[in-house]
Each structure stands twice: as structure tokens, then as C-alpha cells.
């Protein structure tokens, strides 16, 4: 999947996160800001990387502003932002 337009998903409410994706010329730039990064930073990074790998994202800028979201919320928000940013109509929903 390729990110072709800027998109976002989520909120800045407690226990949620805001994900912003945008296209870049080359490379993958992932920035994670989290209020709980000291305690859960390794797990947050792992979930983000797993989700990006599941969508075969190799290029783009991903900015995450986490307010203590659970793993399932992190995945869902990243998936929503990626699908919006890819502007695809042929989504394989069974793979989500």
C-alpha cells in the first residue's frame, strides 16, 4: 500500500491517539509522542511497526500523538489513517 495523500484518524482525548500520515519522496519516518512512553514505549513502537508491516508501508511520514491508548486502539487508528491516506476503494476488509 502507498500513502498518496495526507490523512488523519483519532482524537487527543484521554486513552486515544491522533495518527497523521502523509506521503514523502522516500523512506519511512515514524514519530511517536506519548504521555506513557517511559512505561510502554517499547510496546507502542512494536504495535506501530507491526501494523505498518501488515499494510506493507515502506514510504511515508507517520506522526503519532498518544494519550495512553490500548494496543487495539493504536492498531485501529493507524489502519484508519492509512486507508484514508491511500485513497483506495478496493479494501480487503477480511485482512484487517
Amino acid at each position: 500500500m502507498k500513502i498518496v495523500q495526507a490523512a488523519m484518524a483519532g482524537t487527543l482525548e484521554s486513552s486515544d491517539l491522533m495518527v497523521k500520515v502523509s506521503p514523502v519522496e522516500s523512506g519511512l519516518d515514524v514519530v511517536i509522542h506519548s504521555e506513557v512512553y517511559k512505561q510502554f514505549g517499547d510496546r507502542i513502537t512494536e504495535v506501530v511497526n507491526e501494523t505498518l508491516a501488515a499494510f506493507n508501508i515502506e514510504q511515508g511520514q507517520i506522526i503519532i500523538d498518544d494519550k495512553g491508548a490500548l494496543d487495539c486502539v493504536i492498531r485501529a487508528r493507524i489502519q484508519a489513517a492509512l486507508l484514508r491516506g491511500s485513497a483506495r476503494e478496493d479494501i480487503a476488509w477480511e485482512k484487517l
Side-chain angles (χ1 to χ4, degrees):
M1 179 179 289
K2 184 175 181 178
I3 300 169
V4 297
Q5 65 186 15
M8 56 192 277
T11 69
L12 294 176
E13 298 293 323
S14 180
S15 300
D16 201 356
L17 73 156
M18 176 76 71
V19 178
K20 299 174 188 173
V21 301
S22 57
V24 295
E25 293 296 320
S26 64
L28 183 61
D29 180 25
V30 179
V31 179
I32 301 173
H33 302 284
S34 176
E35 294 180 352
V36 294
Y37 199 82
K38 283 187 178 183
Q39 297 93 336
F40 303 108
D42 291 339
R43 181 63 185 154
I44 294 167
T45 302
E46 184 179 338
V47 171
V48 169
N49 290 334
E50 287 173 358
T51 307
L52 294 174
F55 280 82
N56 297 318
I57 300 297
E58 298 174 354
Q59 188 174 330
Q61 182 180 45
I62 316 296
I63 300 173
I64 297 173
D65 192 0
D66 174 47
K67 301 296 182 185
L70 297 173
D71 292 3
C72 58
V73 176
I74 296 170
R75 276 190 203 91
R77 296 302 193 196
I78 293 172
Q79 289 173 354
L82 291 174
L83 292 172
R84 291 174 182 168
S86 70
R88 290 182 61 175
E89 298 293 328
D90 61 334
I91 300 168
W93 293 106
E94 67 277 359
K95 292 186 179 182
L96 300 178

